[in-house]
Amino acid sequence: VAVGKSTMAIHLARQFPETFVCVPFASAAQETWIANINEAVREGKRSGDVTPSEIKQKFFWTPPVPETDALDDLVTELKEADVQLCTESVAFFLKFCGGHRSIFVAAMMWVKKMQGGTSWAFSQTVAKVRDSIGQGSWATGTILGALAESRGVKVNGDYSDLDVVPKEFIRLLCEGQGNLSDLSMRRELTIQGFVIPVTEGNAEFHQLDWAKPDATYAVANPILASYYRHQLESFRGLKVKVKDEHFVPVNCMDLLIRAMPYLTFAQVVSFAVDLESNSSLSVSDLPYEDQYTGAITHALQRLGYKASAPLNPRNGKVDVLVKIEQTAFSLECIMAKRGEQSHNEHRNRFDNENLTNYFNADHKALLTIGSVETVRERVRNTRADGVEIIGLMPNIAHTGYHVLYRGAAEGTDLVEYYVECDLVARALERNDRIRCIQKMSHINPPRLDQAFGTKVVWVRQLQKDDNDDLKFVGNAFQIDPAPS
């Protein structure tokens, strides 16, 4: 479940009172459990409710993310809890937390502590978050450190130590969604919160079948993926790489799609913008193009590519320039809201012989970012003629991107993709499908005392009797240290 189990229990009891009852548990003692269950069932019968005698079907719940124009009630409820945020700030945090309710609650606890009874305007909210990120990834007291207090980010209990993080989860974390062959592992990783089943459509409830061996599972959410990638890289030397056979992209779209899974909202807004407004969102309620290009450049560098943003205006200040051996890739970025004339001006930079970073590139692309309707219009109407036209449209929680693509040849058909922000590089296949091309290249083995518990060895003496049979004699005693 994406949020706490108690939250789901309350939700089901309210929405489906004829089927579910909510049972309070004030104590973990067995007699308390039995008493509370019996009382809840009796109360349900008195009110006409019924409880199923056995669980015949299982469902995975994905709570919907509220739209920005439907946040008034949430803003009011937060104020009652002494969290003073405007509607725009609440919408910002929903995106920052990937639309995950439990992580959002952890963020609000951080806000309450930082505010100390004051209120934040939108510009203050953005500045506080960016400054906090700048203090260090996942450090105590920072916004990311606060998110790690949520079970939606850091799995606790038996898996709280990094040395016991299941290898099956690490494989999905590094290589992308896939199958889990062992039934018990499917249950364990899902219930613990490491992974979720991959579902189709936007329904709130999806039927779940543990016994289905070909079901696909993915890392639970982008924030959890970011946390474990950082922690495993820092403390167990985790390294990932693009597979050698897929390292060289065939065009700019193939290059960009490697970086897209790294463009989480938190990552994008962490890049500063040189603006007096101190806001991290443009007029389209999305980060600025400088932030997107900074995040794209950083992601490509992280994957081993020589990516840069040239600053010399004489050769052309293209937003992202990547050189692989003798091949150059140039990407120019613009927000879709800036209009058709601005798009044409940015596109025409590739035709200027004096701007060599644009003109001489082997592969060229114009990237436009915004809402679905506006981006679709820009992608359709902007001249290609040797330049790939790419449209990027983040979903409401910024956990994935819808992509529109027209090839460099004029008249090329429009192709659509969807890319999850799961920190796993993708590549294009010949049939216009997408595949994961990232793999784990190294991780330090777990420490045995952490992975399997401290070894304690007890010994007793063996002695032959009159029949030459071996029998234990004397008392057992502990060996310290235990032999390896």
Side-chain angles (χ1 to χ4, degrees), residues 386-401:
V387 177
E388 301 167 54
I389 310 298
I390 306 172
L392 222 58
M393 301 157 288
N395 63 18
I396 185 173
H398 240 87
T399 58
Y401 291 88

Side-chain angles (χ1 to χ4, degrees), residues 148-166:
E149 297 296 320
S150 165
R151 281 199 63 194
V153 175
K154 181 182 183 298
V155 178
N156 54 22
D158 293 339
Y159 298 101
S160 58
D161 193 285
L162 292 172
D163 282 303
V164 295
V165 174

Side-chain angles (χ1 to χ4, degrees), residues 122 379 424:
F122 178 65
V379 172
V424 178

